[in-house]
């Protein structure tokens, strides 16, 4: 069931509010209900967000041959063409009708940490073609991480942990943070779930926290009960000046399923739509095991401990097509 009139009423959390208990209460309610909420007054100006979206559009407006020069590499950096990702293989006819661009933590090749799976140098458009583009995206990458850290403090408090729990060196002190620029509606593509055509197939994010910036075009939908027949989908409408935040499967696992990671998808209506998700996870070596406040004799840990890097690689490889298809072009 795809009902565009069925709009989800999400909690909105003011990150500048001095009333921390109220913010924690609103966030906890959202995290146990759907894992989706808005954040406002986050500290990034609307003027700068407009600039980031304008620069994103400039990249996607480049000829395909220019974008293909920056094809996603083994470090998961660079351009992903239309149909590259397949998020819901059981229901999708082809891959997602979107194109994207990955930007991770920038490290020079001679840095020892650059050998880690999700670290290393990024791929960048030529500065002669897109002057100032890299600087804009690096600035946004840094500012978005600060917003996520503010949210992580509230999440920690809502789980009865110390506010700075997630800021430990092995967690967000050395995070894996990936910025994705996304462009939907290429060639006026309209989604049709009955035919298996989606902007982005139904999926849950597999990391810790996703910070999503969107333009004013609708398309994002959530399904709170993935086992319902038929599934009921609710639209998450863009809110001017706000980010949409959602929890990933890693935090659901970490919290012993107290907090929720919810199924979501994107339906295209023929309009171009731009969005910028920012995926944040703890360090490569962080061991994800049931948080101390989330288990008891009555509710023992549901999952064995697993290293973050191992977990992400297992999940990541399930959603991407074979790059050799594109490398032959």
């Amino acid at each position: 069931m795809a009902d565009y009139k069925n709009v989800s009423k999400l909690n909105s959390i003011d990150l500048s509010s001095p009333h921390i208990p109220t913010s924690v209460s609103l966030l906890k309610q959202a995290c146990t209900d759907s894992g989706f909420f808005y954040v406002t007054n986050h500290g990034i100006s609307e003027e700068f967000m407009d600039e980031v979206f304008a620069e994103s559009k400039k990249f996607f407006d480049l000829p395909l041959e220019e974008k293909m020069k920056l094809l996603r590499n083994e470090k998961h950096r660079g351009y992903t063409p239309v149909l590259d990702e397949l998020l819901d293989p059981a229901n999708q006819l082809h891959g997602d009708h979107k194109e994207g661009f990955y930007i991770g933590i920038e490290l020079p090749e001679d840095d020892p940490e650059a050998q880690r799976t999700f670290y290393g140098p990024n791929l960048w458009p030529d500065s002669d073609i897109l002057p100032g583009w890299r600087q804009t995206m690096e600035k946004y990458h840094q500012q978005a991480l600060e917003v996520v850290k503010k949210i992580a403090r509230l999440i920690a408090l809502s789980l009865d942990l110390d506010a700075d729990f997630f800021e430990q060196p092995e967690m967000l002190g050395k995070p894996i943070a990936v910025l994705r620029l996304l462009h939907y509606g290429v060639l006026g593509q309209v989604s049709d779930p009955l035919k298996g055509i989606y902007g982005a197939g139904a999926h849950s994010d597999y990391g810790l926290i996703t910070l999503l910036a969107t333009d004013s075009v609708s398309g994002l939908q959530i399904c709170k009960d993935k086992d319902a027949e038929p599934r009921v989908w609710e639209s998450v409408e863009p809110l001017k000046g706000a980010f949409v935040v959602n929890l990933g499967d890693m935090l659901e696992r970490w919290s012993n399923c107290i907090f929720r990671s919810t199924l979501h998808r994107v339906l295209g209506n023929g309009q171009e739509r731009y969005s910028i998700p920012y995926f944040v996870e703890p360090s490569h070596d962080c061991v994800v095991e049931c948080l101390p406040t989330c288990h008891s004799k009555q509710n023992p840990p549901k999952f064995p401990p697993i290293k973050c890097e191992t977990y992400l690689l297992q999940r990541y490889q399930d959603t991407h097509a074979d790059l050799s298809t594109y490398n032959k072009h």
Side-chain angles (χ1 to χ4, degrees):
M1 184 186 303
D3 184 357
Y4 288 100
K5 296 178 182 176
N6 191 15
V7 177
S8 189
K9 294 177 173 60
L10 301 183
N11 285 354
S12 184
I13 293 141
D14 181 348
L15 291 185
S16 69
S17 172
H19 304 293
I20 301 300
T22 301
S23 297
V24 170
S25 177
L26 284 169
L27 182 139
K28 187 167 187 174
Q29 183 187 44
C31 291
T32 53
D33 176 49
S34 68
F36 272 79
F37 52 93
Y38 298 107
V39 294
T40 60
N41 296 317
H42 39 71
I44 302 181
S45 72
E46 283 193 38
E47 292 77 16
F48 183 54
M49 287 308 308
D50 288 343
E51 180 185 338
V52 174
F53 273 97
E55 292 298 316
S56 173
K57 185 177 187 302
K58 285 180 187 176
F59 173 78
F60 290 118
D61 282 346
L62 291 175
L64 181 60
E65 61 187 44
E66 284 295 328
K67 293 182 284 191
M68 292 297 280
K69 292 176 183 177
L70 299 168
L71 193 64
R72 181 175 59 92
N73 62 16
E74 70 282 352
K75 287 286 189 178
H76 312 295
R77 312 294 175 93
Y79 178 63
T80 54
V82 176
L83 306 183
D84 175 68
E85 286 189 312
L86 184 63
L87 294 173
D88 185 12
N91 294 299
Q92 282 182 267
L93 181 64
H94 302 295
D96 292 352
H97 284 274
K98 69 177 190 294
E99 55 180 343
F101 194 87
Y102 281 86
I103 303 168
I105 300 283
E106 176 76 25
L107 285 179
E109 286 186 5
D110 57 0
D111 188 312
E113 286 289 294
Q115 304 308 310
R116 306 306 299 260
T117 307
F118 295 98
Y119 280 176
N122 285 296
L123 299 178
W124 297 107
D126 193 302
S127 59
D128 291 337
I129 297 174
L130 293 177
W133 197 89
R134 172 177 177 171
Q135 290 75 15
T136 298
M137 295 306 163
E138 288 187 324
K139 179 181 176 183
Y140 180 66
H141 202 291
Q142 293 165 355
Q143 291 194 10
L145 183 59
E146 293 309 308
V147 176
V148 169
K149 287 180 177 178
K150 292 177 187 177
I151 297 165
R153 293 179 70 83
L154 295 176
I155 288 174
L157 291 171
S158 69
L159 289 169
D160 299 318
L161 300 164
D162 292 338
D164 59 357
F165 177 84
F166 291 108
E167 293 173 32
Q168 298 174 63
E170 68 272 20
M171 294 185 193
L172 297 186
K174 294 183 72 175
I176 298 169
V178 178
L179 177 65
R180 284 208 71 187
L181 310 176
L182 295 176
H183 175 214
Y184 296 89
V186 183
L187 301 177
Q189 180 66 51
V190 177
S191 297
D192 186 344
L194 295 178
K195 294 181 179 178
I197 299 171
Y198 297 88
H203 66 286
S204 57
D205 292 350
Y206 37 78
L208 185 65
I209 299 170
T210 303
L211 184 73
L212 176 67
T214 69
D215 62 12
S216 59
V217 179
S218 300
L220 176 63
Q221 297 184 330
I222 64 174
C223 173
K224 293 180 182 178
D225 183 1
K226 64 183 178 183
D227 297 319
E229 286 292 343
R231 286 175 174 170
V232 177
W233 291 93
E234 302 175 10
S235 293
V236 175
E237 291 301 297
L239 183 63
K240 184 67 173 172
F243 287 113
V244 177
V245 180
N246 68 279
L247 310 183
D249 296 345
M250 183 184 291
L251 188 51
E252 182 176 270
R253 179 184 181 121
W254 225 342
S255 68
N256 214 22
C257 297
I258 292 173
F259 281 180
R260 294 191 58 198
S261 174
T262 291
L263 207 61
H264 53 285
R265 68 184 187 184
V266 174
L267 296 188
N269 61 5
Q271 288 179 279
E272 286 190 283
R273 177 177 180 269
Y274 296 87
S275 72
I276 306 176
Y278 184 69
F279 305 98
V280 179
E281 342 293 358
S283 74
H284 287 76
D285 294 322
C286 178
V287 176
V288 178
E289 57 184 328
C290 186
L291 294 166
T293 56
C294 295
H295 65 87
S296 62
K297 285 185 178 179
Q298 294 74 32
N299 185 29
K302 297 176 174 63
F303 307 96
I306 188 170
K307 195 165 79 165
C308 177
E309 181 179 22
T310 304
Y311 171 82
L312 290 176
L313 275 173
Q314 287 176 358
R315 295 297 306 275
Y316 205 90
Q317 289 165 353
D318 293 337
T319 61
H320 290 83
D322 180 2
L323 283 182
S324 64
T325 304
Y326 301 105
N327 289 335
K328 290 173 185 172
H329 289 184

